[in-house]
DNA sequence: TAACGCTGTGTAATAATATAACATATTTAA
DNA sequence: TTAAATATGTTATATTATTACACAGCGTTA
């Protein structure tokens, strides 16, 4: 059984918006879109985004400063993310590859570091853009 | 034989600074440091950084908006980077792991995407901070 | 050698991304 | 039922990055 997070009003509004988009959204474009719902300030958006990232409902695409919904219902905490990013059309897809995840999960460096999270971004050209 | 890039004045100044630091530097902290050398504007810094990233002399740590020198002399083009980042002391280390690199290089998704680059960031606690 | 393309420089202005600080409200848990 | 934790709303500001314009140097080539 997984813990069901109860989202606040702002968090719900912003998660809804992100889930409706299959592509990453940027904070200020979210802000623009939710102004009609009474969310007026960047900080209100960032606070909700941070929470949603923390509970694994969305992921941040670090190289793009943008946020995408997590389609994997099992992904309750954002600790292992892999994305492919088309450098031409900027299409982003979350990747769930069992074998790859295994390799990443099992990776040990030689410095005795204790990992609890990783983020991998692949860049290239998607089928349409090749 | 690898192509030897000839760096311009600003590029050299900024690469020198980054190479002297074993930790990532942020653009505006670089700007502050190179003002005494006559580099006065953010754009001058960003232009040099972009070029240095392009030719593989430095890497950008995407999750931190910071730049670190590449210690791997073979790494002439920045196309396959792996870092470990301590979330407590923010220490960053570039990882060269042959087996991991192989897995990543060989990864194929099922969408027919053509990859030419990836960036992987591991997060956790380093030995000192555990 | 003149015209051109390419790369780099310098400067000002501004855009885009993100957080600090403060006051208050609401929910949760002891 | 009070304290702690979480969320809200607002203003201001910090941080990161780019646009736009003018021009300089260098190698090619016509």
């Amino acid at each position: 059984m997984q813990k069901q997070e109860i989202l606040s009003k702002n968090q719900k509004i912003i998660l809804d918006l992100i889930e409706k988009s299959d592509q990453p959204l940027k904070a200020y474009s979210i802000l623009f879109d939710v102004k009609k719902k009474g969310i007026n300030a960047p900080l209100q958006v960032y606070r909700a985004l941070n929470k949603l990232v923390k509970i694994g409902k969305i992921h941040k695409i670090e190289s793009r400063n943008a946020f995408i919904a997590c389609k994997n219902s099992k992904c309750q905490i954002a600790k292992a993310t892999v994305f492919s990013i088309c450098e031409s059309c900027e299409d982003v897809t979350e990747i769930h590859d069992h074998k790859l995840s295994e390799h990443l999960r099992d990776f040990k460096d030689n410095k005795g570091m204790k990992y609890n999270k990783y983020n991998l971004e692949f860049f290239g050209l998607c089928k349409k853009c090749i």
Side-chain angles (χ1 to χ4, degrees), chain A:
Chain A
M1 272 302 110
Q2 286 178 331
K3 187 177 153 205
Q4 264 304 334
E5 289 282 350
I6 288 152
L7 298 180
S8 74
K9 179 174 134 282
N10 289 0
Q11 290 159 11
K12 251 179 259 162
I13 291 171
I14 286 171
L15 178 57
D16 273 1
L17 182 68
I18 297 176
E19 282 182 337
K20 272 183 198 125
S21 165
D22 70 330
Q23 285 301 300
L25 299 179
K26 306 199 136 219
Y28 277 73
S29 111
I30 292 169
L31 176 58
F32 179 88
D33 284 346
V34 297
K35 281 217 161 127
K36 44 178 153 333
K37 305 243 179 183
I39 295 177
N40 297 298
L43 192 46
Q44 294 176 288
V45 173
Y46 280 104
R47 283 196 283 226
L49 290 173
N50 290 341
K51 178 64 187 282
L52 292 168
V53 165
K54 209 160 140 195
I55 63 176
K57 292 290 188 188
I58 64 173
H59 302 301
K60 181 170 186 180
I61 311 298
E62 291 289 354
S63 67
R64 299 299 187 258
N65 301 314
F67 300 84
I68 194 167
C70 178
K71 302 299 197 301
N72 183 354
S73 58
K74 288 174 290 183
C75 180
Q76 207 76 0
I77 294 175
K79 50 183 214 188
T81 48
V82 183
F83 301 99
S84 75
I85 302 170
C86 174
E87 290 184 298
S88 168
C89 71
E90 290 293 322
D91 181 272
V92 173
T93 307
E94 186 167 359
I95 291 174
H96 296 283
D97 182 278
H98 183 64
K99 225 175 117 188
L100 183 58
S101 305
E102 252 178 17
H103 289 311
L104 293 169
R105 190 198 57 206
D106 296 344
F107 175 71
K108 294 263 180 293
D109 70 2
N110 48 17
K111 309 253 167 146
M113 191 155 162
K114 180 141 196 62
Y115 298 118
N116 58 47
K117 217 164 77 178
Y118 65 75
N119 177 60
L120 171 55
E121 299 179 8
F122 284 103
F123 305 90
L125 292 174
C126 73
K127 217 153 64 173
K128 282 182 197 164
C129 292
I130 286 170

